[in-house]
């Protein structure tokens, strides 16, 4: 398990600092170091726990609750909450597995439950009275593909297959060879993996979320040679700001970036994974915000809005540098970790708009996002529409709003949170219908491709603009044409 830690450095000219300090009402000191989250992963986990209903579940959302459990296990914190949430999942497993029809089996949702149960060291053969292992094995076709059963037809996709392999890899018998072979065989000619499992080489379209999921599953079963082309593809798709969009044409988003980071970290591609982690920190609400919002991760901006819980849940393991196949819920602390802030080497990449940089330029070049720190500034990649992430939102662990297990008109469920495809964070199982599916990730978690991609408008996280920086920017622009503008753009990308 590799833990990736990035410290962003933002360098400001001495003249700018001096000018800013000379402005009326200035209170900052030239030697004052901006505060940043000391443990971004733990802060995100603590924030997510605070959003649970009865400290137990995420508004009765199975996929999102499962994602949060995996996130807590990845950080080794809040073990008591993870235990209660897992108990809730077990008690309500039937609703997720059968979706209201006793004859139906949602393979993706079943796989996600099985993965969580294994991570929490529960009995997969009796999880809330359900034999998850048996249910999954019964859904393996002669080809090795996991498929759904029921009147709605087979909506399984790459998230379903990857989750099934990840879950069964943790059993004593391991994942059946046919399921691993089928997964490996779906690779496109360019090295990436598609969401759709239809066999049509001429229409094999790689996407970030599906590739991130497939690579993690292959690494979990030791198929490093099969994972390598996918890792190469992910590195080639990384954007200049360090993040990833659902595809090359979409802006970077937290859910797609998280899946890519987890895959790259698991595959030993540390440099690319660290740049991606820096971008993720750029869309995390930092220490300049009100205490209640600190730690939340936005979909494309550092904002604790209505879609932040899904985005945060999926991002936590990536911030911790842990691939899905390596998460272990044993031995962690029972309680949440405090959200601690301390001196940093520049911006915390979490939206602090203070002298020193809100987006935090990532060491290694990635503008962490959050705030523009150049004359006119590049938005650090966190900005952009909502087509991001998994264009259909792959929920990498569970319900991905369309791409995972519950594939119905949604998007794929990202690695952890239910991301609804191009509209926002989704569940990795593909069952989350709250997302929007694009690129063929259709799951119950998202709307159809091209569906929900709301911009969401500006949402205040509680951090007020810093008059000092604004005034300094205006003065420098008028006097010398060189200015620094630090801004936090609060546009939410509703990720159902």
């Amino acid at each position: 398990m590799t833990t990736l830690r990035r410290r962003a450095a933002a360098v400001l000219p001495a003249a700018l600092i001096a000018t800013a300090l000379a402005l009326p009402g200035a209170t900052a000191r030239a030697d004052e170091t901006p505060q940043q989250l000391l443990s971004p992963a733990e802060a995100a986990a603590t924030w997510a726990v605070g959003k649970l209903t009865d400290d137990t579940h995420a508004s009765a959302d199975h996929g999102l609750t499962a994602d949060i459990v995996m996130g807590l296990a990845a950080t080794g914190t809040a073990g008591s909450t993870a235990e209660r949430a897992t108990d809730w999942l077990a008690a309500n497993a039937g609703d997720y597995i059968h979706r209201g029809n006793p004859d139906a089996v949602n393979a993706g949702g079943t796989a996600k439950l099985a993965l969580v149960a294994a991570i929490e060291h529960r009995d997969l053969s009796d999880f809330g009275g359900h034999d998850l292992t048996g249910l999954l094995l019964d859904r393996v076709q002669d080809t090795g593909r996991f498929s759904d059963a029921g009147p709605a037809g087979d909506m399984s996709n790459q998230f379903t297959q990857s989750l099934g392999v990840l879950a069964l890899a943790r059993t004593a018998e391991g994942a059946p060879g046919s399921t691993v072979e089928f997964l490996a065989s779906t690779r496109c000619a360019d090295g990436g993996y598609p969401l759709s499992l239809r066999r049509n080489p001429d229409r094999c379209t790689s996407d970030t979320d599906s590739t991130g999921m497939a690579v993690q599953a292959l690494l979990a079963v030791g198929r490093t040679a099969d994972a390598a082309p996918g890792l190469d593809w992910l590195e080639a798709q990384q954007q200049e700001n360090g993040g990833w969009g659902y595809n090359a044409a979409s802006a970077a988003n937290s859910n797609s970036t998280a899946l890519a980071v987890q895959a790259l970290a698991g595959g030993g591609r540390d440099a690319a994974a660290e740049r991606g982690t820096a971008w993720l920190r750029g869309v995390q609400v930092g220490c300049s915000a009100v205490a209640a919002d600190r730690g939340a991760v936005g979909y494309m901006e550092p904002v604790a809005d209505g879609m932040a819980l899904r985005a945060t849940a999926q991002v936590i393991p990536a911030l911790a540098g842990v691939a899905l196949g390596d998460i272990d819920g044993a031995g962690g602390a029972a309680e949440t970790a405090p959200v601690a802030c301390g001196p940093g080497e520049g911006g915390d990449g979490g939206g602090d708009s203070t002298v020193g940089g809100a987006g935090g330029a990532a060491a290694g070049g990635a503008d962490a996002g959050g705030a523009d720190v150049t004359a006119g500034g590049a938005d650090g990649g966190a900005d952009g529409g909502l087509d991001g992430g998994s264009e259909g939102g792959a929920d990498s662990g569970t319900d991905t709003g369309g791409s995972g297990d519950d594939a119905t008109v949604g998007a794929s469920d990202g690695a952890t949170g239910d991301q609804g495809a191009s509209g926002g964070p989704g569940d990795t199982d593909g069952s989350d219908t709250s997302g929007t599916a694009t690129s063929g990730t259709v799951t119950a978690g998202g709307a159809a491709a091209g569906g929900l991609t709301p911009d969401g408008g500006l949402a205040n996280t509680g951090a007020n603009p810093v008059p000092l920086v604004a005034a300094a920017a205006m003065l420098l622009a008028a006097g010398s044409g060189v200015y620094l503008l630090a801004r936090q753009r609060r546009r939410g990308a509703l990720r159902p």
Side-chain angles (χ1 to χ4, degrees), residues 20 23 43 100 118 223 257 262 277 290 351 373 377 479:
L23 293 173
R223 297 288 289 264
T257 298
Q262 285 182 277
T277 302
V290 294
V373 189

Side-chain angles (χ1 to χ4, degrees), residues 271-337:
E274 287 176 2
R275 287 187 62 221
T277 302
W279 189 89
L280 289 173
R281 291 191 60 180
V283 292
Q284 183 172 29
V285 179
C287 296
S288 68
V290 294
D293 291 346
R294 294 173 188 171
V297 180
Y299 180 55
M300 303 178 88
E301 298 287 346
V303 55
D305 60 6
M307 35 187 292
L309 184 56
R310 287 192 187 281
T312 302
Q314 196 162 341
V315 167
I316 296 171
L319 287 174
V322 189
L324 289 171
D326 296 326
I327 298 176
D328 189 347
E335 304 304 323
T336 56

Side-chain angles (χ1 to χ4, degrees), residues 99 148 155-160 195-196 210 246 390-395 398-414 417-421 424-448 496:
R99 299 288 187 182
D148 299 324
M155 303 298 289
S156 62
N157 54 32
Q158 194 67 261
F159 280 86
T160 308
L195 178 65
S196 173
S210 299
Y246 180 73
S390 56
E391 245 198 297
D395 183 345
T398 49
D399 43 88
T400 30
S403 69
D405 34 353
D406 345 97
T408 66
V409 202
S412 68
D413 214 318
D418 292 317
Q419 62 190 80
D427 282 351
T428 54
D429 61 355
S431 57
D432 181 12
T433 58
S434 58
T436 63
T438 62
S439 160
T441 58
V442 181
T443 63

Side-chain angles (χ1 to χ4, degrees), residues 23 25 58 85 94 116 136 140 208 218 247 257 260 270 287 297 317 319 328 339 386 404 409 411 441-442 444 475 482:
L23 293 173
V116 170
L136 277 179
V140 178
T208 304
L218 291 169
N247 57 31
T257 298
D270 292 345
C287 296
V297 180
L319 287 174
D328 189 347
V339 178
L386 254 164
V409 202
T441 58
V442 181
L475 178 62
V482 179

Side-chain angles (χ1 to χ4, degrees), residues 174-185:
S178 63
T179 65
V180 178
E181 291 299 334
F182 180 86
L183 174 61
S185 73

Side-chain angles (χ1 to χ4, degrees), residues 469-488:
V469 176
M474 292 175 63
L475 178 62
L476 289 177
S480 63
V482 179
Y483 65 91
L484 178 145
L485 173 63
R487 63 187 170 120
Q488 291 180 311

Side-chain angles (χ1 to χ4, degrees), residues 24 86 89 167 178 190 202 217 255 271 326 336 362 380 397 427:
T86 304
L89 287 170
S178 63
D190 60 8
D202 294 334
N255 297 87
D326 296 326
T336 56
D427 282 351

